[in-house]
Amino acid sequence: MKVHYYILIGIIFLLNSCASYQDHFTLTETITTKVMTENLLQKANTPFSENEATVNELQQQLQKMQIYENTKKKNTIMKSMWQLLNKEESSLQQFIKTWKMQETMSPAFISEYALQINTMLDLMIDYESKKEKKTESALLQFLNP
Amino acid sequence: MDIKPVLNELKTEILALIKERFKKENALITSEITLFITSSKEKIERWSILLLQGEITKAEFEILLQSQKDLLRMHSLHKAGISAIQLGHFKNAVLKLIFNKITLFIGV
């Protein structure tokens, strides 16, 4: 009889070991990043030199999240998502670079790009929010049905 | 105590769960990819017109094209992540099935 219990517990631990749980810090900071990006884009029709401090804040936020996500295990998807925003050839980095070069961005570009970057950040928020909360893990559900 | 019939029943029920889950998944992926291709075409056409009309610069047009590439990559990552989450839910369903079956079998 004991063997059956061990088999059962073994299966539960094996299936539960691959779980990736929701990180509240990641979720709130991704929402903050979206707000920061939206606010920055609204100012992109004004001279870059007037917005350098806000641009630096966003860059620091992007780098902070990249470093934070790199520290977590079983986190390939979120890590890749932040890498995508941080890499030099990404549209977000190219937008900042071009804004600096052109000094202002055109209104048509701002409205088109806002749709694109907002969708990207929404996908990140949606992914993190759909992760299972640690307190609701399968193992605990079994222990506290 | 013969556990073989219980394991066979479990196998049949898990296979039924897998069949149901992946049938829905395949249909969803196909419709999402079709939608993304259609929307990409519309956007690129719109951006080309904006470039021709001088509403956006060449550099801005290139950023928009890059953003569509980024969006495709982000959609792929999101899709993979959501599939992994759904796989987790599927594992939970399997766990419940095993748990119910075994506890019934051993009479706990």
Side-chain angles (χ1 to χ4, degrees):
Chain A
M1 191 75 81
K2 267 187 178 176
V3 174
H4 296 146
Y5 279 117
Y6 290 137
I7 292 171
L8 180 64
I9 290 167
I11 293 169
I12 290 172
F13 271 106
L14 187 70
L15 289 173
N16 207 49
S17 63
C18 303
S20 169
Y21 298 111
Q22 188 185 100
D23 182 333
H24 186 68
F25 179 78
T26 297
L27 185 59
T28 52
E29 288 300 310
T30 311
I31 294 168
T32 303
T33 310
K34 190 188 169 196
V35 174
M36 288 171 83
T37 310
E38 275 180 344
N39 288 342
L40 191 67
L41 262 173
Q42 295 311 312
K43 293 174 183 171
N45 60 343
T46 62
F48 180 86
S49 50
E50 290 174 16
N51 298 285
E52 246 181 301
T54 323
V55 172
N56 288 339
E57 273 175 35
L58 178 66
Q59 290 284 40
Q60 280 169 16
Q61 173 74 4
L62 293 170
Q63 285 162 14
K64 178 186 80 181
M65 290 310 293
Q66 177 72 74
I67 294 165
Y68 177 71
E69 296 302 326
N70 283 347
T71 63
K72 291 195 280 181
K73 287 178 185 171
K74 295 178 195 168
N75 191 36
T76 317
I77 300 288
M78 212 28 150
K79 204 159 71 178
S80 303
M81 285 173 158
W82 284 104
Q83 268 170 4
L84 184 64
L85 298 181
N86 272 296
K87 65 178 183 180
E88 204 188 329
E89 63 271 29
S90 77
S91 60
L92 187 54
Q93 297 302 325
Q94 287 303 309
F95 152 65
I96 292 169
K97 197 178 162 190
T98 308
W99 187 11
K100 193 175 182 178
M101 273 166 43
Q102 290 188 177
E103 195 56 5
T104 58
M105 302 298 277
S106 59
F109 168 82
I110 294 168
S111 60
E112 291 292 328
Y113 187 60
L115 292 171
Q116 297 288 95
I117 194 69
N118 281 343
T119 310
M120 284 184 231
L121 288 157
D122 282 341
L123 287 168
M124 293 169 76
I125 294 165
D126 182 68
Y127 169 61
E128 192 62 35
S129 68
K130 282 189 175 145
K131 281 184 184 172
E132 193 173 18
K133 287 176 185 160
K134 201 162 192 172
T135 50
E136 292 169 2
S137 77
L139 188 58
L140 287 175
Q141 273 177 11
F142 275 112
L143 296 173
N144 305 296
Chain B
M1 201 178 277
D2 188 10
I3 201 168
K4 266 189 181 174
V6 182
L7 291 176
N8 283 338
E9 268 182 56
L10 264 176
K11 191 181 162 189
T12 312
E13 289 176 37
I14 290 169
L15 284 174
L17 270 176
I18 291 171
K19 202 177 167 185
E20 189 191 353
R21 180 186 179 272
F22 288 101
K23 196 178 167 186
K24 283 180 190 169
E25 190 84 346
N26 282 343
L28 191 70
I29 291 171
T30 311
S31 74
E32 280 185 13
I33 289 172
T34 311
L35 191 71
F36 188 83
I37 292 168
T38 313
S39 107
S40 296
K41 190 174 169 271
E42 286 167 5
K43 282 178 194 172
I44 294 167
E45 280 171 1
R46 191 168 69 240
W47 297 336
S48 302
I49 293 166
L50 287 173
L51 179 66
L52 284 171
Q53 290 173 339
E55 296 281 331
I56 57 172
T57 65
K58 195 177 168 237
E60 289 169 341
F61 178 72
E62 279 169 9
I63 298 168
L64 290 172
L65 286 182
Q66 180 61 45
S67 76
Q68 195 61 10
K69 281 188 206 167
D70 292 350
L71 197 53
L72 177 61
R73 174 86 181 120
M74 199 61 94
H75 267 295
S76 308
L77 287 167
H78 178 264
K79 190 78 230 156
I82 295 296
S83 293
I85 291 169
Q86 284 168 347
L87 190 62
H89 293 157
F90 174 72
K91 282 179 188 171
N92 286 346
V94 172
L95 273 175
K96 277 182 187 167
L97 193 69
I98 294 169
F99 186 79
N100 292 337
K101 194 65 81 179
I102 302 283
T103 49
L104 200 72
F105 176 70
I106 58 180
V108 178

